[in-house]
Amino acid sequence: MNVEPSDRSWFRAFHRGFLLEGYTLTLVRGLSPRTFLDRLGAAPQGDVTGFDAFVARDRDFQDDQEEWGDRMFVGAALVRGRDADWVLALEINGGIEIQTDSMERVTAGTRGVSHFRSPNAMSLFSWWEDGELRTRFEGPLHRDGSTPDELVDLMRHVGFDIEGGGCDVEDYIALAEELTGVQVTPDMLEHSAYSTGIVEIPTADWTSVVIDVTDAHGTRTYVELPHPTHEQRTHEQR
């Protein structure tokens, strides 16, 4: 499946929208897949080639878990950006980046970006430099990190509605591409060789997610979302 550089709508159609049910996609500059997994502290689980094989291995892993959240399965592949090699890490649902301090270790001395969508429809974008969280947001109106406003012009450039607060997965993909020089494509996900590993997650760190936002009019939204169940983690539509 060939796509134009400006066409990112493929993500919604990829495997009939499979990843929209929940994914984490991370890019880190200059690391090999093995180094990435080592920095995560992942227990190696061997290599697989192709998206179908990766998903099958993830499904076997999930079937062996009694409760979702104690461990995460991740695959890492070497990809090429405009000026450097990057590691592309994929999780089905996942959430290693927001459940541990792993990105501090993984991005030491380099750059990383990650975008995430959960089965509860929560989504996040994160930009890291040398172990420091520079910008993180769900909607573009409310940003945190050490430099929460540094990406605003670039966000507008790629299509974010900053004032209206709207964004979608295509915006996340476009912003990640600008920050990394990596054009993620369906062929890349479909045919990459993934080195896989399992990351232990401290259960106490992930019982729920709290969204606490006050908008420009002073209206506060406070929602606590429980972590997904094993059933929510299981994709049956493929």
Side-chain angles (χ1 to χ4, degrees), residues 76-130:
L78 187 65
V79 297
R80 181 67 185 170
R82 282 189 295 266
D83 302 314
D85 288 334
W86 293 69
V87 64
L88 179 152
L90 179 65
E91 301 167 67
I92 307 301
N93 293 315
I96 290 171
E97 190 260 343
I98 65 168
Q99 297 180 46
T100 71
D101 60 359
S102 60
M103 287 294 279
E104 294 181 20
R105 303 190 305 271
V106 167
T107 62
T110 190
R111 167 176 289 192
V113 300
S114 181
H115 47 101
F116 160 89
R117 178 183 172 95
S118 79
N120 290 321
M122 176 187 176
S123 59
L124 286 173
F125 186 98
S126 303
W127 164 42
W128 294 77
E129 293 281 351
D130 194 15

Side-chain angles (χ1 to χ4, degrees), residues 120 122 206-212 221-227:
N120 290 321
M122 176 187 176
W206 180 241
T207 58
S208 63
V209 171
V210 175
I211 301 174
D212 188 358
T221 300
Y222 182 94
V223 179
E224 183 170 359
L225 303 176
H227 73 68

